[in-house]
Amino acid sequence: DAKTTQPPSMDCAEGRAANLPCNHSTISGNEYVYWYRQIHSQGPQYIIHGLKNNETNEMASLIITEDRKSSTLILPHATLRDTAVYYCIVRVGATDSWGKLQFGAGTQVVVTP
Amino acid sequence: GAVVSQHPSRVICKSGTSVKIECRSLDFQATTMFWYRQFPKQSLMLMATSNEGSKATYEQGVEKDKFLINHASLTLSTLTVTSAHPEDSSFYICSARWASGVSDTQYFGPGTRLTVL
């Protein structure tokens, strides 16, 4: 499996952009990068995913480097409700057609007023 | 996004009893569902993969006779914790896989907090 590395914690000011980095240097060519977040005592929430190109939706933007060895999740205008643990996950690859997700420790993001 | 529900949201039971947790995909059909367990201050740990109409596949170290999984329809998977003990107390979360084209997404339920006395 490709592993991911994320900083354990980040602080962000309300109203500012939050840039969450993720390293996945051993990612395979057919593996996608997924981002989820988990607010305390809730199930994870899907944010966004991508393969090669940058992606944007109503929640966030995903920037993937050209060599695909790292990515950045951007929350454009952080709010207090964005305080959560953010998980960067590379989906288990071609040997697993069921698409299992393996969660790491993630990044605890705290948005402050 | 797609909606996944779980029932119950919280359950307290006595040691030795069995507890059933339901996971439903409300607005899409899911041939594959997943069950996770999360202990306090830890990340999610995948327990098993549930495929509609076939036996579940368990991760290493997860006892299949203790955690019974049934995926009888495209919108419902159940996890039964048999003869529960205090060490089984945890946060159980399911997800349902929504496949579209070449990529797919898992949507998660809100979780079930199990406390075994």
Side-chain angles (χ1 to χ4, degrees):
Chain A
D1 320 345
K3 304 295 184 185
T4 63
T5 304
Q6 299 178 252
S9 64
M10 283 183 61
D11 291 336
C12 178
E14 187 178 21
R16 306 295 288 269
N19 297 304
L20 283 62
C22 179
N23 287 319
H24 30 79
S25 59
T26 59
I27 192 171
S28 298
N30 62 347
E31 291 182 309
Y32 287 74
V33 180
Y34 285 80
W35 283 84
Y36 285 82
R37 72 181 184 184
Q38 185 178 27
I39 296 170
H40 183 63
S41 295
Q42 298 182 22
Q45 177 188 21
Y46 167 77
I47 300 174
I48 199 167
H49 74 282
L51 181 63
K52 296 180 181 178
N53 299 323
N54 297 337
E55 303 287 345
T56 295
N57 62 21
E58 64 278 5
M59 289 183 67
S61 294
L62 174 61
I63 309 298
I64 302 175
T65 57
E66 193 170 341
D67 63 8
R68 301 187 72 238
K69 292 185 177 182
S70 65
S71 60
T72 301
L73 179 74
I74 302 173
L75 307 178
H77 304 287
T79 71
L80 298 180
R81 288 176 295 181
D82 293 323
T83 293
V85 178
Y86 287 75
Y87 296 100
C88 169
I89 303 167
V90 172
R91 193 184 68 182
V92 177
T95 58
D96 187 338
S97 60
W98 295 330
K100 294 190 290 187
L101 298 175
Q102 302 283 1
F103 284 78
T107 296
Q108 173 67 65
V109 173
V110 176
V111 180
T112 55
Chain B
V3 180
V4 176
S5 70
Q6 279 184 244
H7 177 80
S9 58
R10 185 181 298 268
V11 58
I12 301 173
C13 69
K14 293 181 179 180
S15 184
T17 61
S18 294
V19 175
K20 179 184 285 187
I21 303 170
E22 293 186 348
C23 176
R24 294 181 185 272
S25 55
L26 298 185
D27 50 4
F28 68 102
Q29 294 182 331
T31 55
T32 305
M33 291 184 173
F34 302 86
W35 287 96
Y36 296 80
R37 181 167 53 181
Q38 186 175 32
F39 292 107
K41 298 186 178 181
Q42 295 186 20
S43 188
L44 283 77
M45 292 180 55
L46 179 64
M47 299 175 66
T49 302
S50 167
N51 286 294
E52 187 266 338
S54 64
K55 291 183 179 180
T57 302
Y58 292 81
E59 295 298 301
Q60 191 172 7
V62 177
E63 300 175 56
K64 62 179 181 180
D65 294 330
K66 180 168 184 62
F67 299 99
L68 302 179
I69 292 173
N70 183 276
H71 193 159
S73 79
L74 290 173
T75 60
L76 173 65
S77 176
T78 60
L79 169 69
T80 301
V81 183
T82 62
S83 186
H85 289 93
E87 58 265 29
D88 298 322
S89 297
S90 187
F91 192 48
Y92 291 87
I93 310 168
C94 73
S95 71
R97 182 185 181 195
W98 182 79
S100 173
V102 297
S103 70
D104 57 73
T105 303
Q106 284 185 38
Y107 293 96
F108 286 79
T112 297
R113 177 77 57 191
L114 170 63
T115 303
V116 184
L117 302 177

